[in-house]
Amino acid sequence: MAMECITSTQSMTQPHQNNNKESETTPLVFDASILRHQHQIPSQFIWPDEEKPSLQVSKLVIPLIDLGGFLSGDPAATMEAVRLVGEACKKHGFFLVVNHGINADLISNAHSYMDDFFELPLSQKQRAQRKTGEHCGYASSFTGRFSSKLPWKETLSFQFSAEKISPKIVKEYLSNTMGKEFEQFGSIYQDYCEAMSKLSLGIMELLGMSLGVGKECFREFFEENRSIMRLNYYPPCQKPDQTLGTGPHCDPTSLTILHQDQVGGLQVFVDNEWHSITPNFNAFVVNIGDTFMALSNGKYKSCLHRAVVNKKTTRKSLAFFLCPRNDKVVSPPRGLVDDDFSPRVYPDFTWPMLLEFTQKYYRADMNTLNAFTNWIQQKESS
Ligand SMILES: C=C1C[C@]23C[C@H]1CC[C@H]2[C@]1(C)CCC[C@@](C)(C(=O)O)[C@H]1[C@@H]3C(=O)O
Ligand SMILES: O=C(O)CCC(=O)C(=O)O
Ligand SMILES: [Fe+2]
């Protein structure tokens, strides 16, 4: 099916349709290099008034966890880290980690190599075009998946695997998809994902300690993770108050380790208000996803968050989405279930089941897991 560009000549008269419905017309491709110079933005990118970004949002103060102190076994740092992470995860699921041991040059390279990819002509980026029903590849604002409330962003997503059978899956995917000249590009993100996988296992030790189930419990569960790396590229927008870079959603995955650049734009919905998270190059923003909320038997929260754009500068963020191996059954450790005080909140499931649900029914709201639970129960009873 031929792809068309949204250009100034095309009148964007599509009515404000249900965002979840598959687009019924020819999929359109969002080319920011053209769009950003138009006076208006296409109607599909204009969000309803009640979802438009508010001009002023307060800053969310989230705990800064010294991961190095915890991992080196410093008793005081461990106690403080366990306390802070527990408080944050019971409330909104967001915290910062510093002293994480990730090489600063690797982080800087991961940001700068994004520019090399996203500044390519659209036709070259489309070599990695995300196919319908898949969650990896190059996507520009989900045109073709949704017909309204489109996000003002381009993304490149790819699979990482910590399993020994696929040691270089990232490097191979990127160089095979984009060509030999992308071998260095592929190596950078292979190294970055390996660092993220190691970091996430350290964070899983901390989460296990804070939930009282011990360091090894979740570390072992995610040891052979098959995770998703996503590069978010938000071009400047001439009407930043009318659109969103990423719409309100809860991450369906287990844990997200996000590095945002210095531009700012990540917002979290806490106490019925949107709050911004201030950029900090030395910190990763970590948030609990739906799958870990289920693993914690609902004790730790996966919360709504979104990203806003601006008029002047491109914003970039790197999101590593930790996911368990496909055959792992998501079921809370026994110590987190008690028939009287902590009965089971969600049924057993596997990540591929939840992924299928999000790709088919894309529920970007607080109740994704509840809707998913109903979906499973309907399937089981049919
Ligand atoms: C498995 C995935 C689906 C999404 C990318 C990864 C992990 C996060 C998911 C997502 C980012 C959650 C918000 C909505 C979404 C559509 C998006 O904004 O990109 C989701 C991704 C996706 O379905 O492509
Ligand atoms: O870009 C950001 O700051 C947030 C992106 C995000 O939430 C996501 O990709 O799931
Ligand atoms: Fe997210």
Side-chain angles (χ1 to χ4, degrees):
M1 184 186 291
M3 287 284 198
E4 291 171 42
C5 268
I6 296 179
T7 58
S8 54
T9 50
Q10 246 158 327
S11 63
M12 312 308 303
T13 53
Q14 270 179 321
H16 186 75
Q17 293 161 353
N18 169 349
N19 187 43
N20 291 349
K21 201 160 45 182
E22 289 299 315
S23 163
E24 286 146 6
T25 59
T26 313
L28 295 169
V29 173
F30 153 86
D31 185 340
S33 62
I34 297 173
L35 278 180
R36 61 193 278 200
H37 301 299
Q38 315 300 331
H39 177 63
Q40 276 305 340
I41 63 174
S43 63
Q44 291 106 320
F45 293 90
I46 299 177
W47 285 63
D49 289 347
E50 65 276 12
E51 295 192 78
K52 284 183 172 75
S54 27
L55 290 176
Q56 291 306 329
V57 289
S58 60
K59 288 182 175 19
L60 182 69
V61 179
I62 57 176
L64 208 67
I65 310 277
D66 169 1
L67 199 65
F70 165 72
L71 292 175
S72 63
D74 174 306
T78 295
M79 273 177 64
E80 182 64 352
V82 165
R83 181 182 69 79
L84 288 173
V85 84
E87 257 174 34
C89 290
K90 284 179 194 145
K91 186 165 170 56
H92 47 60
F94 276 79
F95 54 95
L96 298 173
V97 290
V98 289
N99 194 10
H100 41 64
I102 308 290
N103 179 294
D105 290 342
L106 177 57
I107 299 171
S108 301
N109 283 336
H111 275 281
S112 56
Y113 273 76
M114 276 179 74
D115 294 326
D116 297 350
F117 175 82
F118 288 102
E119 286 166 11
L120 285 172
L122 190 58
S123 56
Q124 284 193 44
K125 290 185 275 191
Q126 286 174 329
R127 284 190 229 159
Q129 181 64 36
R130 171 174 176 169
K131 298 176 180 59
T132 308
E134 289 180 7
H135 58 277
C136 287
Y138 169 71
S140 58
S141 61
F142 301 110
T143 51
R145 262 180 84 185
F146 309 116
S147 51
S148 64
K149 299 206 293 188
L150 295 183
W152 193 269
K153 71 173 170 183
E154 299 174 64
T155 59
L156 178 64
S157 308
F158 38 91
Q159 194 87 51
F160 167 79
S161 170
E163 294 167 287
K164 293 175 182 51
I165 53 163
S166 35
K168 293 299 173 194
I169 189 171
V170 169
K171 181 176 179 190
E172 286 161 6
Y173 167 74
L174 291 170
S175 49
N176 294 345
T177 308
M178 294 304 295
K180 273 189 77 59
E181 66 274 25
F182 277 80
E183 282 204 350
Q184 175 63 0
F185 179 86
S187 295
I188 290 292
Y189 292 107
Q190 179 70 45
D191 293 349
Y192 187 84
C193 288
E194 286 169 11
M196 288 300 105
S197 176
K198 187 165 171 274
L199 175 59
S200 53
L201 295 180
I203 293 169
M204 279 302 156
E205 287 186 6
L206 175 57
L207 293 174
M209 291 275 286
S210 71
L211 280 165
V213 295
K215 272 186 170 184
E216 290 313 313
C217 176
F218 297 128
R219 183 187 179 94
E220 283 168 7
F221 190 83
F222 289 101
E223 195 76 51
E224 290 193 314
N225 65 86
R226 274 187 67 80
S227 300
I228 296 163
M229 184 70 213
R230 155 159 291 190
L231 309 179
N232 289 308
Y233 190 83
Y234 303 99
C237 177
Q238 59 274 38
K239 301 281 185 192
D241 56 339
Q242 293 190 12
T243 189
L244 288 171
T246 292
H249 68 279
C250 301
D251 293 342
T253 43
S254 295
L255 191 78
T256 304
I257 302 180
L258 183 116
H259 196 274
Q260 58 170 334
D261 64 13
Q262 293 309 294
V263 174
L266 170 60
Q267 298 184 350
V268 187
F269 195 68
V270 180
D271 297 335
N272 285 321
E273 272 193 312
W274 288 102
H275 300 265
S276 63
I277 293 196
T278 308
N280 173 346
F281 180 85
N282 298 315
F284 285 96
V285 181
V286 183
N287 65 273
I288 300 291
D290 291 343
T291 301
F292 195 85
M293 179 157 73
L295 266 177
S296 73
N297 198 25
K299 292 174 182 354
Y300 283 3
K301 307 301 179 197
S302 168
C303 282
L304 270 186
H305 53 286
R306 70 183 187 184
V308 298
V309 289
N310 69 79
K311 253 186 196 164
K312 293 195 173 52
T313 49
T314 294
R315 176 175 178 264
K316 300 195 293 287
S317 71
L318 299 112
F320 179 84
F321 296 105
L322 181 70
C323 308
R325 219 177 49 203
N326 286 353
D327 61 324
K328 287 283 189 184
V329 176
V330 177
S331 189
R334 271 194 304 281
L336 300 181
V337 180
D338 168 306
D339 292 346
D340 302 329
F341 304 105
S342 311
R344 280 295 297 270
V345 181
Y346 306 105
D348 286 1
F349 61 91
T350 63
W351 163 239
M353 290 164 68
L354 178 53
L355 176 60
E356 180 194 356
F357 178 78
T358 63
Q359 297 304 295
K360 275 189 175 162
Y361 304 100
Y362 179 52
R363 292 295 303 270
D365 57 27
M366 295 283 249
N367 305 313
T368 305
L369 269 186
N370 295 345
F372 174 59
T373 300
N374 297 337
W375 183 65
I376 295 181
Q377 286 161 353
Q378 277 165 12
K379 278 179 78 162
E380 279 162 3
S381 59
S382 58

PDB file of all heavy atoms in Angstrom, residues 266-289:
ATOM      1  N   LEU A 266       9.053  15.609  29.635  1.00  0.00           N
ATOM      2  CA  LEU A 266       8.396  14.442  30.255  1.00  0.00           C
ATOM      3  C   LEU A 266       7.506  14.927  31.396  1.00  0.00           C
ATOM      4  O   LEU A 266       7.933  15.743  32.218  1.00  0.00           O
ATOM      5  CB  LEU A 266       9.451  13.469  30.786  1.00  0.00           C
ATOM      6  CG  LEU A 266       8.953  12.309  31.660  1.00  0.00           C
ATOM      7  CD1 LEU A 266       7.968  11.428  30.904  1.00  0.00           C
ATOM      8  CD2 LEU A 266      10.145  11.484  32.157  1.00  0.00           C
ATOM      9  N   GLN A 267       6.260  14.463  31.395  1.00  0.00           N
ATOM     10  CA  GLN A 267       5.330  14.841  32.465  1.00  0.00           C
ATOM     11  C   GLN A 267       4.638  13.595  33.027  1.00  0.00           C
ATOM     12  O   GLN A 267       4.381  12.636  32.307  1.00  0.00           O
ATOM     13  CB  GLN A 267       4.262  15.814  31.923  1.00  0.00           C
ATOM     14  CG  GLN A 267       4.845  17.125  31.412  1.00  0.00           C
ATOM     15  CD  GLN A 267       3.774  18.110  30.963  1.00  0.00           C
ATOM     16  OE1 GLN A 267       2.585  17.770  30.858  1.00  0.00           O
ATOM     17  NE2 GLN A 267       4.176  19.347  30.686  1.00  0.00           N
ATOM     18  N   VAL A 268       4.356  13.637  34.338  1.00  0.00           N
ATOM     19  CA  VAL A 268       3.746  12.510  35.038  1.00  0.00           C
ATOM     20  C   VAL A 268       2.452  12.982  35.694  1.00  0.00           C
ATOM     21  O   VAL A 268       2.385  14.116  36.191  1.00  0.00           O
ATOM     22  CB  VAL A 268       4.704  11.944  36.122  1.00  0.00           C
ATOM     23  CG1 VAL A 268       4.143  10.660  36.739  1.00  0.00           C
ATOM     24  CG2 VAL A 268       6.072  11.663  35.532  1.00  0.00           C
ATOM     25  N   PHE A 269       1.417  12.150  35.665  1.00  0.00           N
ATOM     26  CA  PHE A 269       0.110  12.531  36.218  1.00  0.00           C
ATOM     27  C   PHE A 269       0.015  12.026  37.655  1.00  0.00           C
ATOM     28  O   PHE A 269      -0.129  10.834  37.890  1.00  0.00           O
ATOM     29  CB  PHE A 269      -1.002  11.918  35.353  1.00  0.00           C
ATOM     30  CG  PHE A 269      -2.370  12.522  35.586  1.00  0.00           C
ATOM     31  CD1 PHE A 269      -2.623  13.827  35.217  1.00  0.00           C
ATOM     32  CD2 PHE A 269      -3.383  11.785  36.192  1.00  0.00           C
ATOM     33  CE1 PHE A 269      -3.884  14.396  35.426  1.00  0.00           C
ATOM     34  CE2 PHE A 269      -4.640  12.341  36.400  1.00  0.00           C
ATOM     35  CZ  PHE A 269      -4.895  13.653  36.014  1.00  0.00           C
ATOM     36  N   VAL A 270       0.156  12.917  38.603  1.00  0.00           N
ATOM     37  CA  VAL A 270       0.149  12.553  40.028  1.00  0.00           C
ATOM     38  C   VAL A 270      -0.824  13.481  40.769  1.00  0.00           C
ATOM     39  O   VAL A 270      -0.856  14.685  40.479  1.00  0.00           O
ATOM     40  CB  VAL A 270       1.571  12.716  40.634  1.00  0.00           C
ATOM     41  CG1 VAL A 270       1.578  12.348  42.107  1.00  0.00           C
ATOM     42  CG2 VAL A 270       2.578  11.868  39.872  1.00  0.00           C
ATOM     43  N   ASP A 271      -1.648  12.898  41.664  1.00  0.00           N
ATOM     44  CA  ASP A 271      -2.632  13.712  42.415  1.00  0.00           C
ATOM     45  C   ASP A 271      -3.482  14.568  41.471  1.00  0.00           C
ATOM     46  O   ASP A 271      -3.667  15.770  41.667  1.00  0.00           O
ATOM     47  CB  ASP A 271      -1.909  14.619  43.439  1.00  0.00           C
ATOM     48  CG  ASP A 271      -1.157  13.794  44.496  1.00  0.00           C
ATOM     49  OD1 ASP A 271      -1.575  12.643  44.717  1.00  0.00           O
ATOM     50  OD2 ASP A 271      -0.140  14.278  45.021  1.00  0.00           O
ATOM     51  N   ASN A 272      -3.915  13.897  40.374  1.00  0.00           N
ATOM     52  CA  ASN A 272      -4.824  14.540  39.410  1.00  0.00           C
ATOM     53  C   ASN A 272      -4.272  15.795  38.740  1.00  0.00           C
ATOM     54  O   ASN A 272      -5.020  16.675  38.311  1.00  0.00           O
ATOM     55  CB  ASN A 272      -6.165  14.882  40.083  1.00  0.00           C
ATOM     56  CG  ASN A 272      -6.991  13.601  40.265  1.00  0.00           C
ATOM     57  OD1 ASN A 272      -6.998  12.741  39.376  1.00  0.00           O
ATOM     58  ND2 ASN A 272      -7.572  13.456  41.421  1.00  0.00           N
ATOM     59  N   GLU A 273      -2.936  15.857  38.659  1.00  0.00           N
ATOM     60  CA  GLU A 273      -2.321  17.008  37.969  1.00  0.00           C
ATOM     61  C   GLU A 273      -1.095  16.525  37.184  1.00  0.00           C
ATOM     62  O   GLU A 273      -0.448  15.550  37.586  1.00  0.00           O
ATOM     63  CB  GLU A 273      -1.808  18.010  39.026  1.00  0.00           C
ATOM     64  CG  GLU A 273      -2.806  19.033  39.495  1.00  0.00           C
ATOM     65  CD  GLU A 273      -2.096  20.141  40.284  1.00  0.00           C
ATOM     66  OE1 GLU A 273      -1.277  19.822  41.177  1.00  0.00           O
ATOM     67  OE2 GLU A 273      -2.336  21.306  39.966  1.00  0.00           O
ATOM     68  N   TRP A 274      -0.770  17.238  36.093  1.00  0.00           N
ATOM     69  CA  TRP A 274       0.454  16.925  35.349  1.00  0.00           C
ATOM     70  C   TRP A 274       1.635  17.657  35.993  1.00  0.00           C
ATOM     71  O   TRP A 274       1.522  18.841  36.348  1.00  0.00           O
ATOM     72  CB  TRP A 274       0.303  17.321  33.886  1.00  0.00           C
ATOM     73  CG  TRP A 274      -0.626  16.399  33.149  1.00  0.00           C
ATOM     74  CD1 TRP A 274      -1.937  16.637  32.816  1.00  0.00           C
ATOM     75  CD2 TRP A 274      -0.336  15.080  32.705  1.00  0.00           C
ATOM     76  NE1 TRP A 274      -2.470  15.540  32.191  1.00  0.00           N
ATOM     77  CE2 TRP A 274      -1.521  14.570  32.103  1.00  0.00           C
ATOM     78  CE3 TRP A 274       0.794  14.255  32.745  1.00  0.00           C
ATOM     79  CZ2 TRP A 274      -1.593  13.287  31.543  1.00  0.00           C
ATOM     80  CZ3 TRP A 274       0.727  12.987  32.195  1.00  0.00           C
ATOM     81  CH2 TRP A 274      -0.439  12.497  31.595  1.00  0.00           C
ATOM     82  N   HIS A 275       2.745  16.923  36.138  1.00  0.00           N
ATOM     83  CA  HIS A 275       3.955  17.506  36.738  1.00  0.00           C
ATOM     84  C   HIS A 275       5.126  17.193  35.808  1.00  0.00           C
ATOM     85  O   HIS A 275       5.198  16.094  35.244  1.00  0.00           O
ATOM     86  CB  HIS A 275       4.252  16.856  38.090  1.00  0.00           C
ATOM     87  CG  HIS A 275       3.150  17.011  39.096  1.00  0.00           C
ATOM     88  ND1 HIS A 275       3.120  18.012  40.045  1.00  0.00           N
ATOM     89  CD2 HIS A 275       2.020  16.284  39.293  1.00  0.00           C
ATOM     90  CE1 HIS A 275       2.039  17.885  40.790  1.00  0.00           C
ATOM     91  NE2 HIS A 275       1.344  16.848  40.351  1.00  0.00           N
ATOM     92  N   SER A 276       6.053  18.134  35.704  1.00  0.00           N
ATOM     93  CA  SER A 276       7.212  17.898  34.821  1.00  0.00           C
ATOM     94  C   SER A 276       8.355  17.246  35.613  1.00  0.00           C
ATOM     95  O   SER A 276       8.438  17.376  36.834  1.00  0.00           O
ATOM     96  CB  SER A 276       7.699  19.241  34.254  1.00  0.00           C
ATOM     97  OG  SER A 276       8.139  20.058  35.328  1.00  0.00           O
ATOM     98  N   ILE A 277       9.193  16.506  34.863  1.00  0.00           N
ATOM     99  CA  ILE A 277      10.397  15.908  35.480  1.00  0.00           C
ATOM    100  C   ILE A 277      11.601  16.625  34.870  1.00  0.00           C
ATOM    101  O   ILE A 277      11.819  16.569  33.660  1.00  0.00           O
ATOM    102  CB  ILE A 277      10.458  14.394  35.258  1.00  0.00           C
ATOM    103  CG1 ILE A 277       9.312  13.726  36.034  1.00  0.00           C
ATOM    104  CG2 ILE A 277      11.818  13.842  35.697  1.00  0.00           C
ATOM    105  CD1 ILE A 277       9.423  12.244  36.237  1.00  0.00           C
ATOM    106  N   THR A 278      12.341  17.329  35.698  1.00  0.00           N
ATOM    107  CA  THR A 278      13.461  18.145  35.225  1.00  0.00           C
ATOM    108  C   THR A 278      14.584  17.273  34.690  1.00  0.00           C
ATOM    109  O   THR A 278      14.963  16.288  35.332  1.00  0.00           O
ATOM    110  CB  THR A 278      14.000  18.996  36.406  1.00  0.00           C
ATOM    111  OG1 THR A 278      12.910  19.694  36.985  1.00  0.00           O
ATOM    112  CG2 THR A 278      15.058  19.979  35.939  1.00  0.00           C
ATOM    113  N   PRO A 279      15.119  17.606  33.508  1.00  0.00           N
ATOM    114  CA  PRO A 279      16.225  16.821  32.952  1.00  0.00           C
ATOM    115  C   PRO A 279      17.460  16.854  33.862  1.00  0.00           C
ATOM    116  O   PRO A 279      17.726  17.849  34.526  1.00  0.00           O
ATOM    117  CB  PRO A 279      16.527  17.532  31.624  1.00  0.00           C
ATOM    118  CG  PRO A 279      15.291  18.273  31.282  1.00  0.00           C
ATOM    119  CD  PRO A 279      14.675  18.660  32.580  1.00  0.00           C
ATOM    120  N   ASN A 280      18.160  15.709  33.879  1.00  0.00           N
ATOM    121  CA  ASN A 280      19.401  15.615  34.660  1.00  0.00           C
ATOM    122  C   ASN A 280      20.279  14.610  33.927  1.00  0.00           C
ATOM    123  O   ASN A 280      20.018  13.412  33.965  1.00  0.00           O
ATOM    124  CB  ASN A 280      19.067  15.145  36.086  1.00  0.00           C
ATOM    125  CG  ASN A 280      20.324  14.860  36.906  1.00  0.00           C
ATOM    126  OD1 ASN A 280      21.437  14.763  36.375  1.00  0.00           O
ATOM    127  ND2 ASN A 280      20.149  14.714  38.216  1.00  0.00           N
ATOM    128  N   PHE A 281      21.325  15.099  33.230  1.00  0.00           N
ATOM    129  CA  PHE A 281      22.146  14.228  32.368  1.00  0.00           C
ATOM    130  C   PHE A 281      22.722  13.055  33.155  1.00  0.00           C
ATOM    131  O   PHE A 281      22.877  11.959  32.628  1.00  0.00           O
ATOM    132  CB  PHE A 281      23.291  15.016  31.714  1.00  0.00           C
ATOM    133  CG  PHE A 281      24.155  14.161  30.826  1.00  0.00           C
ATOM    134  CD1 PHE A 281      23.793  13.921  29.497  1.00  0.00           C
ATOM    135  CD2 PHE A 281      25.290  13.528  31.329  1.00  0.00           C
ATOM    136  CE1 PHE A 281      24.567  13.106  28.680  1.00  0.00           C
ATOM    137  CE2 PHE A 281      26.068  12.708  30.528  1.00  0.00           C
ATOM    138  CZ  PHE A 281      25.701  12.484  29.204  1.00  0.00           C
ATOM    139  N   ASN A 282      23.004  13.274  34.432  1.00  0.00           N
ATOM    140  CA  ASN A 282      23.666  12.213  35.220  1.00  0.00           C
ATOM    141  C   ASN A 282      22.690  11.187  35.775  1.00  0.00           C
ATOM    142  O   ASN A 282      23.100  10.262  36.475  1.00  0.00           O
ATOM    143  CB  ASN A 282      24.456  12.842  36.371  1.00  0.00           C
ATOM    144  CG  ASN A 282      25.551  13.756  35.838  1.00  0.00           C
ATOM    145  OD1 ASN A 282      26.274  13.398  34.909  1.00  0.00           O
ATOM    146  ND2 ASN A 282      25.602  14.971  36.362  1.00  0.00           N
ATOM    147  N   ALA A 283      21.393  11.395  35.494  1.00  0.00           N
ATOM    148  CA  ALA A 283      20.397  10.485  36.082  1.00  0.00           C
ATOM    149  C   ALA A 283      19.576   9.795  34.998  1.00  0.00           C
ATOM    150  O   ALA A 283      19.350  10.364  33.926  1.00  0.00           O
ATOM    151  CB  ALA A 283      19.456  11.276  36.992  1.00  0.00           C
ATOM    152  N   PHE A 284      19.157   8.575  35.296  1.00  0.00           N
ATOM    153  CA  PHE A 284      18.138   7.909  34.459  1.00  0.00           C
ATOM    154  C   PHE A 284      16.805   8.038  35.187  1.00  0.00           C
ATOM    155  O   PHE A 284      16.745   7.869  36.413  1.00  0.00           O
ATOM    156  CB  PHE A 284      18.496   6.428  34.273  1.00  0.00           C
ATOM    157  CG  PHE A 284      19.622   6.191  33.313  1.00  0.00           C
ATOM    158  CD1 PHE A 284      20.914   6.027  33.778  1.00  0.00           C
ATOM    159  CD2 PHE A 284      19.393   6.173  31.942  1.00  0.00           C
ATOM    160  CE1 PHE A 284      21.975   5.833  32.894  1.00  0.00           C
ATOM    161  CE2 PHE A 284      20.442   5.975  31.049  1.00  0.00           C
ATOM    162  CZ  PHE A 284      21.733   5.807  31.528  1.00  0.00           C
ATOM    163  N   VAL A 285      15.761   8.309  34.424  1.00  0.00           N
ATOM    164  CA  VAL A 285      14.405   8.298  34.987  1.00  0.00           C
ATOM    165  C   VAL A 285      13.919   6.851  34.897  1.00  0.00           C
ATOM    166  O   VAL A 285      13.963   6.255  33.814  1.00  0.00           O
ATOM    167  CB  VAL A 285      13.450   9.213  34.188  1.00  0.00           C
ATOM    168  CG1 VAL A 285      12.053   9.201  34.811  1.00  0.00           C
ATOM    169  CG2 VAL A 285      14.000  10.634  34.123  1.00  0.00           C
ATOM    170  N   VAL A 286      13.501   6.293  35.991  1.00  0.00           N
ATOM    171  CA  VAL A 286      13.041   4.902  36.022  1.00  0.00           C
ATOM    172  C   VAL A 286      11.572   4.889  36.427  1.00  0.00           C
ATOM    173  O   VAL A 286      11.176   5.618  37.350  1.00  0.00           O
ATOM    174  CB  VAL A 286      13.865   4.060  37.026  1.00  0.00           C
ATOM    175  CG1 VAL A 286      13.423   2.593  37.006  1.00  0.00           C
ATOM    176  CG2 VAL A 286      15.357   4.169  36.695  1.00  0.00           C
ATOM    177  N   ASN A 287      10.754   4.129  35.685  1.00  0.00           N
ATOM    178  CA  ASN A 287       9.351   4.007  36.119  1.00  0.00           C
ATOM    179  C   ASN A 287       8.857   2.571  36.010  1.00  0.00           C
ATOM    180  O   ASN A 287       9.258   1.815  35.122  1.00  0.00           O
ATOM    181  CB  ASN A 287       8.429   4.989  35.377  1.00  0.00           C
ATOM    182  CG  ASN A 287       8.308   4.732  33.882  1.00  0.00           C
ATOM    183  OD1 ASN A 287       9.107   5.217  33.099  1.00  0.00           O
ATOM    184  ND2 ASN A 287       7.273   3.959  33.491  1.00  0.00           N
ATOM    185  N   ILE A 288       7.997   2.232  36.950  1.00  0.00           N
ATOM    186  CA  ILE A 288       7.351   0.925  37.007  1.00  0.00           C
ATOM    187  C   ILE A 288       6.347   0.837  35.854  1.00  0.00           C
ATOM    188  O   ILE A 288       5.645   1.799  35.558  1.00  0.00           O
ATOM    189  CB  ILE A 288       6.596   0.783  38.355  1.00  0.00           C
ATOM    190  CG1 ILE A 288       7.569   0.914  39.532  1.00  0.00           C
ATOM    191  CG2 ILE A 288       5.785  -0.514  38.434  1.00  0.00           C
ATOM    192  CD1 ILE A 288       8.546  -0.214  39.695  1.00  0.00           C
ATOM    193  N   GLY A 289       6.319  -0.305  35.178  1.00  0.00           N
ATOM    194  CA  GLY A 289       5.330  -0.524  34.109  1.00  0.00           C
ATOM    195  C   GLY A 289       4.228  -1.471  34.581  1.00  0.00           C
ATOM    196  O   GLY A 289       4.311  -2.066  35.671  1.00  0.00           O
TER     197      GLY A 289
END
